[in-house]
């Protein structure tokens, strides 16, 4: 029986097999975001696995999806990408069963992933409750940094931070969100922070954020001011702006950062207020030290998201 499908605008599809078991399925693949093939493999895999964690599920199996130009990309380089992917899947506790490769002038890599979850324990993205606190587990600014990497304008420190965050699995963050009774869960990817937050809202609630609390990679500010945004970030801003109200004192480039399209971004956790601080402390203790409580869920207002 289908529990979640594409009409739900959620992170992955869910299909119930027995009273105890539902499978969670997702597919994602990306073009290179860094130069090192092994690291690209790790990031692409962490990005693909993230939607399983965003449903509160565990990773079971994965299939490689590869597009590459065999005339210009060496077999050695391809093997490094696959090794990066396979190491991440192993870290996730899953196995790669196979995959498919095609010829393409533009390199692409990712995974089709299957996870498992108890049918009653699925964490959807739009089931927040009034009074919940919203926690973000990774800083934003990754789209700005990967765009500046492509333009050869990224400072070394920015590249190192982006690699650290993008290759970091959302596994532990998801497990802790479950442990502390999260009401809703999603991950921040192509629609940016406010785009994915908008997907968490519904007709009964709105979300209030404090700009100063939102973790942002320091180097991303200057790069954002210089305009290194991926095209998707501006599209997100145009699309989601009518549903949001951002304080006028916040500079335009900082506003666009809130819509910056992320690769392998963090989780957005909606957690009961009484557990928020405990969850935050546990996340930080587990090495997810950039996690922050960025706002709260309130009863529905004119705008679905307010940033002050
Ligand atoms: Co997602
Ligand atoms: Co998704």
């Amino acid at each position: 029986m289908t529990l979640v499908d594409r009409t739900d605008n959620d992170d992955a599809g869910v299909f119930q097999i027995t009273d105890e078991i539902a499978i969670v399925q997702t597919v994602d693949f990306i073009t290179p975001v860094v130069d090192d093939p092994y690291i690209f493999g790790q990031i692409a895999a962490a990005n693909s696995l993230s939607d399983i964690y965003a449903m509160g599920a565990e990773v079971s199996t994965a299939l490689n999806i590869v597009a590459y130009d065999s005339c210009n990309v060496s077999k050695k380089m391809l093997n490094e990408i696959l090794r990066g992917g396979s190491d991440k899947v192993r870290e996730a506790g899953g196995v790669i069963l196979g995959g498919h490769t095609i010829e393409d002038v533009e390199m692409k890599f990712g995974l089709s992933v299957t996870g498992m979850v108890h049918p009653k324990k699925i964490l959807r993205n739009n089931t927040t409750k009034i009074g919940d606190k919203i926690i973000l587990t990774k800083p934003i600014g990754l789209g700005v940094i990967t765009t500046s990497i492509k333009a050869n304008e990224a400072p070394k420190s920015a590249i190192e931070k982006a690699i650290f965050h993008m290759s970091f699995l959302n596994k532990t963050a998801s497990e802790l969100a479950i442990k502390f009774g999260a009401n809703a869960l999603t991950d921040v990817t192509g629609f940016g922070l406010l785009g994915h937050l908008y997907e968490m809202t519904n007709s009964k609630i709105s979300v209030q954020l404090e700009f100063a609390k939102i973790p942002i990679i320091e180097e991303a500010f200057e790069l954002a001011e210089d305009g290194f945004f991926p095209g998707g970030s501006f599209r997100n801003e145009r699309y989601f702006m009518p549903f949001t109200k951002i304080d006028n004192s916040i500079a335009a480039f900082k506003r666009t950062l809130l819509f910056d399209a992320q690769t392998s971004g963090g989780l957005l956790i909606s957690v009961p207020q009484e557990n928020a601080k405990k969850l935050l402390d546990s996340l930080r203790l587990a090495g997810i030290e950039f996690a922050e409580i960025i706002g709260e869920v309130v009863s529905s207002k004119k705008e679905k998201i307010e940033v002050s």
Side-chain angles (χ1 to χ4, degrees):
M1 179 175 59
T2 302
L3 300 181
V4 179
D5 68 16
R6 60 188 299 277
T7 62
D8 291 293
N9 288 330
D10 213 321
D11 294 292
V14 186
F15 188 85
Q16 185 169 346
I17 307 285
T18 69
D19 288 346
E20 307 275 298
I21 300 170
I23 55 168
V24 181
Q25 295 197 295
T26 178
V27 58
D28 203 336
F29 51 95
I30 58 173
T31 56
V33 284
V34 291
D35 296 327
D36 185 291
Y38 176 73
I39 294 171
F40 167 55
Q42 287 189 310
I43 291 170
N47 180 64
S48 301
L49 295 163
S50 181
D51 277 327
I52 298 290
Y53 295 128
M55 299 306 290
E58 282 171 42
V59 171
S60 303
T61 63
L63 300 169
N64 288 318
I65 294 160
V66 183
Y68 90 114
D69 178 357
S70 61
C71 299
N72 291 303
V73 175
S74 69
K75 201 73 205 219
K76 182 164 167 275
M77 194 176 255
L78 179 64
N79 284 336
E80 280 296 281
I81 293 171
L82 293 173
R83 188 170 69 86
S86 119
D87 281 358
K88 268 298 147 188
V89 172
R90 191 172 317 120
E91 185 187 332
V95 289
I96 294 180
L97 296 180
H100 185 67
T101 303
I102 60 161
E103 281 284 335
D104 191 343
V105 286
E106 192 178 32
M107 179 82 216
K108 295 172 191 82
F109 174 60
L111 304 169
S112 160
V113 193
T114 300
M116 300 266 200
V117 67
H118 190 286
K120 297 213 157 56
K121 293 183 178 163
I122 301 165
L123 278 173
R124 294 177 187 256
N125 60 357
N126 63 352
T127 44
T128 55
K129 295 210 169 89
I130 292 172
D132 278 6
K133 295 286 181 188
I134 301 286
I135 294 180
L136 175 65
T137 67
K138 289 183 190 178
I140 59 169
L142 297 165
V144 168
I145 295 173
T146 55
T147 305
S148 70
I149 292 173
K150 283 172 190 154
N152 277 318
E153 294 285 348
K156 194 161 167 276
S157 60
I159 300 173
E160 281 167 2
K161 286 179 192 174
I163 286 173
F164 173 81
H165 294 297
M166 290 191 293
S167 58
F168 198 97
L169 285 181
N170 284 328
K171 181 178 197 287
T172 306
S174 173
E175 289 165 357
L176 289 172
I178 295 164
K179 184 179 168 196
F180 287 93
N183 285 320
L185 193 60
T186 194
D187 60 341
V188 181
T189 52
F191 296 150
L193 173 63
L194 296 197
H196 288 282
L197 202 55
Y198 175 72
E199 301 284 341
M200 292 186 98
T201 64
N202 58 52
S203 60
K204 295 189 189 71
I205 63 113
S206 286
V207 176
Q208 269 179 339
L209 297 188
E210 240 180 288
F211 184 83
K213 289 283 164 82
I214 298 169
I216 300 176
I217 298 172
E218 202 192 319
E219 287 82 349
F221 284 107
E222 204 183 324
L223 294 167
E225 204 168 4
D226 291 341
F228 287 106
F229 283 103
S233 304
F234 294 113
R235 279 197 298 277
N236 291 337
E237 186 170 16
R238 274 197 303 275
Y239 185 81
F240 293 106
M241 204 52 218
F243 315 112
T244 63
K245 184 177 157 194
I246 302 176
D247 195 278
N248 280 334
S249 66
I250 298 167
F253 74 90
K254 290 182 183 172
R255 272 182 254 170
T256 310
L257 258 178
L258 300 176
F259 297 96
D260 186 35
Q262 307 290 284
T263 297
S264 195
L267 293 181
L268 274 169
I269 308 170
S270 184
V271 65
Q273 185 237 316
E274 63 269 25
N275 286 352
K277 186 67 173 61
K278 282 180 271 180
L279 172 54
L280 185 67
D281 290 344
S282 301
L283 287 165
R284 289 182 175 167
L285 208 61
I288 304 163
E289 52 191 283
F290 294 88
E292 288 285 356
I293 297 171
I294 62 168
E296 62 183 344
V297 180
V298 296
S299 54
S300 187
K301 298 183 169 190
K302 188 160 150 275
E303 274 90 10
K304 288 280 107 187
I305 301 171
E306 270 188 21
V307 187
S308 56

